[in-house]
Amino acid sequence: MRLEDDRQQLIAQARGALGMSAADVDDAARRFAARLELDEQRGGWRSAPEFAPMVRTWGRVMLLGAIGIAVVAVTMARCPLYERAITPPPVTDPTG
Amino acid sequence: MIAPPVALDVALAFREHYPFVLRALVGLGVTPIDADDVAQEVFVVAHRRRTQFDPSRPARAWLYGIARGLARNRRRMRKDESLDVLPVAPGIDPESAAAQGQALSLALRCLDALSAKLREVFVLTEFEGLTAPEAAIVLDLPVNTVYSRMRLGRERFDAALAKVRAREGVGVR
């Protein structure tokens, strides 16, 4: 067999393995439509950057975080149990 | 006055070009088992960028450009993927399906002997049956470059095929 004929025959068979019927294309089109719908529900990437909402959200998180840390710090500083916990133990003479 | 951008009707393009995109992806080295998923991804990207579509160029060329980028990424992710798992076209008797599967596997192995540039020209002209001027439009290349790559691609593919046939003990001239 000539190499060129062999190549053409091989490619024709390989194409056959990837052949698609109209029903296959319909099925793929249905899956594509479902995927687009799902993507739309999830929300997509915005075409323009929106910095203001991001800065507002970060600002809120930072402020609430700082208030939370301050409340914990003040409470700990005034807590008698904490005072006792950080006080070094009294030194006792082991010889009596 | 600037004309408003013409968005591509992706649903229509899907029905028209999905088989082409799928075959092109396999030709570009995406494993057949992944090809459907990547082909869907091509159209999702096309849908997202539909307003960037240039109607003066064929939709097929635009979709091919997207497919090429996604195929490159997918190949990078799955370098060691085997080609053993091949899809079986429905409505075909198992014997023919097996023969076609083997032919596809062998064709893909021979395609691996081609560089990326030769490979894409070879796939479009030999697998898709595009003429050199049509392939030149899809790839945005001069026609003479396409002719030259077609010739080189055939030589390399034939050499790889001859090597396989020699191992099998089949005589080819």
Side-chain angles (χ1 to χ4, degrees), chain A residues 1-37 39-40 44-45, chain B residues 10 14-15 18-19 22-23 26 32 36-37 40-41 43-44 47 87 89-90 92 99-101 103-104 106-107 110 122 126-128 154 157-158 161-162 165 171-173:
Chain A
M1 187 193 277
R2 283 175 62 231
L3 203 49
E4 193 176 334
D5 297 335
D6 192 18
R7 185 210 319 138
Q8 281 169 359
Q9 201 177 325
L10 180 73
I11 289 172
Q13 275 192 313
R15 268 180 67 93
L18 296 169
M20 298 193 89
S21 65
D24 294 332
V25 178
D26 282 347
D27 182 46
R30 262 195 301 276
R31 279 185 284 121
F32 175 61
R35 188 169 172 171
L36 281 188
E37 206 172 305
D39 280 357
E40 217 156 277
W45 289 88
Chain B
V10 181
F14 188 98
R15 287 187 179 278
Y18 177 75
L22 188 91
R23 285 194 303 267
V26 173
D36 175 63
D37 191 35
Q40 294 266 344
E41 190 64 36
F43 286 94
V44 169
H47 178 74
I92 295 179
Q100 287 181 344
L104 178 60
L106 175 57
C110 293
F122 189 87
E126 297 288 328
F127 275 73
E128 289 305 319
R154 279 182 191 148
F157 189 92
D158 287 352
L161 184 56
R165 295 300 192 215
V172 279
R173 288 181 276 130

Side-chain angles (χ1 to χ4, degrees), chain B residues 3-167:
Chain B
V6 181
L8 178 73
D9 183 345
V10 181
L12 200 68
F14 188 98
R15 287 187 179 278
E16 202 175 331
H17 300 297
Y18 177 75
F20 162 76
V21 168
L22 188 91
R23 285 194 303 267
L25 286 167
V26 173
L28 288 168
V30 175
T31 58
I33 206 78
D34 282 342
D36 175 63
D37 191 35
V38 183
Q40 294 266 344
E41 190 64 36
V42 168
F43 286 94
V44 169
V45 172
H47 178 74
R48 208 180 293 148
R49 298 186 195 157
R50 62 193 182 280
T51 53
Q52 296 167 23
F53 171 63
D54 174 7
S56 66
R57 293 193 69 214
R60 181 183 273 210
W62 189 61
L63 292 169
Y64 184 81
I66 298 172
R68 189 161 47 170
L70 291 180
R72 199 182 307 129
N73 292 347
R74 183 58 69 114
R75 276 203 313 274
R76 225 177 274 150
M77 280 194 304
R78 301 199 169 189
K79 260 186 179 162
D80 52 347
E81 189 93 333
S82 133
L83 294 171
D84 293 343
V85 190
L86 294 169
V88 176
I92 295 179
D93 70 281
E95 212 169 290
S96 308
Q100 287 181 344
Q102 276 176 358
L104 178 60
S105 185
L106 175 57
L108 293 176
R109 275 208 302 276
C110 293
L111 275 178
D112 284 341
L114 276 64
S115 67
K117 285 176 182 172
L118 296 183
R119 186 178 178 134
E120 57 186 18
V121 170
F122 189 87
V123 167
L124 287 178
T125 53
E126 297 288 328
F127 275 73
E128 289 305 319
L130 264 61
T131 61
E134 285 169 342
I137 292 171
V138 170
L139 296 169
D140 204 12
L141 286 173
V143 181
N144 284 338
T145 307
V146 172
Y147 277 122
S148 148
R149 288 183 187 175
M150 269 168 79
R151 186 180 50 76
L152 272 172
R154 279 182 191 148
E155 279 174 17
R156 302 255 165 92
F157 189 92
D158 287 352
L161 184 56
K163 217 181 270 178
V164 174
R165 295 300 192 215
R167 268 204 301 272

Side-chain angles (χ1 to χ4, degrees), chain A residues 47-68:
Chain A
S47 53
E50 292 174 12
F51 288 112
M54 189 189 74
V55 170
R56 266 201 302 274
T57 305
W58 271 102
R60 208 175 297 142
V61 168
M62 291 293 167
L63 184 69
L64 288 174
I67 291 171

